Amino acid sequence: MIVAVDGPSAAGKSTTVIALSRELNFLYIDTGAMYRAYTLMALRSEIPLEDESAISALRDKVEIELVNHPEGMVVLLNGEDVSKEIRMDYISKSVSIVSSYMHVREKMVELQREMGDNQAVICEGRDIGTVVFPNADLKIFLTADVKERARRRQRDLLKLNINKELDEIKRDLARRDQLDSSRKISPLKRAENAVLIDTTFMTFKEQVNFIKELILAKNEGKF
Ligand code: DC
């Protein structure tokens, strides 16, 4: 069974999907982490982000693996654990441009499809229901008001001892949403048959349980 979860930044996709993958014993695929790792490779190679052909050429040198551990997912870039590094703000600020390049996306989509082959998978990103797994058994589009998403992101950052103004977070999120939704290739878009869930007024537990019920109902052929 394949469950596709798409939606804008900081809508709570990762935390929700991690909880679900643990409860239901599904493989978790965080596709954003893969674009982040590719971006890290580009920055380390000191390639200007606007140089699409040089960034695309990295595709043959870049090896990205996601390893599901009980304590969390580990992201390996050419064998190195970059799980923490890819969450840094400088990566968040650069990833939209790298992920807009066609050759980068082709390579990532290929890897994502290989990972999802013949497994119970829950995969999150921006184009999962539309491009990566258009035949997914269940598609969810998870969203929330930008102010609420900024508040949640601020709380997460505080846990990492990073203090960032709410307005700045809101501006960064809005900018990323705009770039991700307006790019030519595989923009962030709700698939026609995706279930839209607005979590602005939902607790974390409510959103996990809601999706869990949908997955179980789908599995039992109830909808
Ligand atoms: O989910 P995230 O914030 O870790 O994603 C980082 C960036 O990667 C996001 O700005 C858009 C891009 N992305 C994408 O283009 N396609 C995906 N399937 C997942 C993420």
Side-chain angles (χ1 to χ4, degrees):
M1 181 181 198
I2 294 185
V3 180
V5 181
D6 290 300
S9 306
K13 295 187 302 294
S14 300
T15 39
T16 308
V17 167
I18 289 170
L20 287 165
S21 68
R22 286 189 182 149
E23 276 194 45
L24 301 171
N25 207 16
F26 275 47
L27 176 78
Y28 166 49
I29 305 179
D30 174 357
T31 60
M34 299 170 73
Y35 289 99
R36 286 171 180 271
Y38 199 113
T39 303
L40 176 60
M41 174 92 175
L43 291 171
R44 281 183 177 173
S45 310
E46 294 182 11
I47 301 172
L49 293 177
E50 301 69 37
D51 190 343
E52 179 169 353
S53 66
I55 288 192
S56 301
L58 283 179
R59 62 190 248 153
D60 299 323
K61 295 190 197 136
V62 89
E63 226 180 82
I64 297 167
E65 270 178 273
L66 303 181
V67 188
N68 278 236
H69 283 306
E71 319 79 59
M73 193 195 63
V74 172
V75 184
L76 298 177
L77 172 64
N78 294 337
E80 177 193 341
D81 181 354
V82 293
S83 316
K84 286 215 176 78
E85 186 80 29
I86 59 166
R87 302 291 160 196
M88 307 297 278
D89 215 33
Y90 77 98
I91 299 287
S92 303
K93 286 201 159 95
S94 311
V95 62
S96 282
I97 179 149
V98 173
S99 63
S100 71
Y101 295 148
M102 184 178 72
H103 292 296
V104 174
R105 299 202 73 83
E106 277 173 2
K107 163 102 184 195
M108 294 300 104
V109 170
E110 191 185 303
L111 283 175
Q112 290 152 16
R113 289 190 181 140
E114 273 170 26
M115 283 188 245
D117 212 19
N118 277 324
Q119 305 214 46
V121 159
I122 185 157
C123 184
E124 64 138 310
R126 304 294 188 288
D127 59 340
I128 311 305
T130 50
V131 176
V132 182
F133 296 121
N135 298 322
D137 301 276
L138 175 65
K139 298 180 188 178
I140 308 280
F141 194 86
L142 204 66
T143 188
D145 176 78
V146 69
K147 265 191 240 148
E148 176 57 22
R149 288 191 279 130
R151 265 185 234 115
R152 292 177 191 171
R153 177 54 54 91
Q154 192 182 43
R155 273 200 300 270
D156 290 346
L157 288 172
L158 272 177
K159 282 185 205 147
L160 301 170
N161 282 327
I162 300 170
N163 208 337
K164 208 170 150 185
E165 288 286 325
L166 198 63
D167 273 350
E168 191 190 346
I169 300 178
K170 217 169 82 187
R171 262 199 315 276
D172 285 353
L173 284 178
R175 180 180 154 270
R176 209 131 69 86
D177 289 352
Q178 211 273 332
L179 287 170
D180 294 343
S181 315
S182 62
R183 67 173 176 236
K184 283 206 196 81
I185 307 147
S186 309
L188 166 66
K189 193 171 88 186
R190 178 185 162 198
E192 267 174 28
N193 51 352
V195 181
L196 175 68
I197 306 176
D198 185 331
T199 68
T200 309
F201 301 108
M202 286 170 102
T203 64
F204 175 65
K205 216 167 174 185
E206 281 169 343
Q207 76 199 43
V208 171
N209 284 339
F210 189 78
I211 300 176
K212 189 172 150 190
E213 290 306 318
L214 290 177
I215 295 174
L216 295 177
K218 193 82 198 178
N219 220 1
E220 288 163 15
K222 286 194 189 145
F223 91 98

